[in-house]
């Protein structure tokens, strides 16, 4: 199949496929007239790349998964390097969530203290906002 058909099937653009090729993630074969030619294995690689990006992996993070598929494995996460990417990315997400939890707790504390004090300088009634912050 040619680049346009692969792009349509995968739900991406020819430009993205050319970029994946420039990054070494996709290898196009060339027909006699110079057109890029792809097969089902290429479709599987692109699908894997897009699926992994949809769950938050960077394009660089997808390389071990692509290598795993190219090595003949049925799934891109059948190799140890792919598992390591999952573990690293999950640790990054958990660290980010912990940081956000700390920020949320700090903001909640500040808001609780602020709401406990009388507010009359600007005329706004902040007591009503307390109901929406306790969710």
């Amino acid at each position: 199949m040619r680049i346009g058909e692969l792009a349509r099937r995968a739900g991406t653009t020819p430009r993205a496929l050319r970029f994946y090729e420039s990054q070494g993630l996709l290898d196009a074969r060339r027909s006699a007239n110079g057109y890029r030619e792809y097969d089902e294995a290429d479709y599987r690689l692109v699908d894997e790349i897009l699926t992994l990006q949809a769950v938050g992996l960077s394009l660089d993070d997808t390389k071990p998964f692509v290598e795993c598929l190219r090595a003949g494995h049925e799934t891109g996460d059948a190799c140890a390097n792919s598992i390591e990417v999952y573990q690293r990315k999950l640790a990054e997400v958990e660290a980010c969530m912990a940081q956000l939890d700390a920020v949320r707790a700090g903001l909640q504390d500040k808001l609780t203290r602020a709401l406990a004090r009388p507010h009359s300088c600007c005329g706004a009634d902040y007591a009503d906002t307390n109901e929406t912050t306790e969710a």
Side-chain angles (χ1 to χ4, degrees):
M1 78 187 91
R2 297 208 341 227
I3 194 166
E5 182 181 349
L6 177 59
R8 277 189 299 283
R9 283 189 59 199
T12 190
T13 64
R15 182 178 182 189
L17 297 178
R18 287 189 291 273
F19 182 71
Y20 297 162
E21 186 179 352
S22 75
Q23 298 300 302
L25 295 170
L26 192 60
D27 291 324
R29 289 153 304 286
R30 297 289 182 153
S31 64
N33 60 5
Y35 291 139
R36 288 175 170 87
E37 292 289 332
Y38 301 96
D39 59 20
E40 288 302 312
D42 296 313
Y43 170 76
R44 178 70 185 105
L45 290 175
V46 173
D47 186 58
E48 183 81 355
I49 292 165
L50 295 173
T51 300
L52 292 168
Q53 285 187 303
V55 297
L57 272 63
S58 71
L59 194 57
D60 195 49
D61 288 334
T62 68
K63 289 180 181 181
F65 297 87
V66 169
E67 291 169 3
C68 193
L69 285 171
R70 283 186 179 153
H73 296 279
E74 188 173 320
T75 64
D77 58 9
C79 300
N81 289 344
S82 301
I83 299 300
E84 288 174 14
V85 171
Y86 281 152
Q87 291 170 330
R88 178 182 48 78
K89 190 64 175 182
L90 188 57
E92 289 173 11
V93 168
E94 288 172 350
C96 186
M97 289 175 65
Q99 183 179 12
L100 288 172
D101 283 343
V103 168
R104 182 182 186 278
L107 287 170
Q108 185 65 53
D109 182 57
K110 291 284 196 183
L111 178 60
T112 300
R113 289 175 189 225
L115 291 173
R117 293 188 298 272
H119 294 89
S120 61
C121 63
C122 63
D125 183 10
Y126 292 102
D128 293 335
T129 62
N130 194 28
E131 295 174 11
T132 60
T133 60
E134 293 181 8

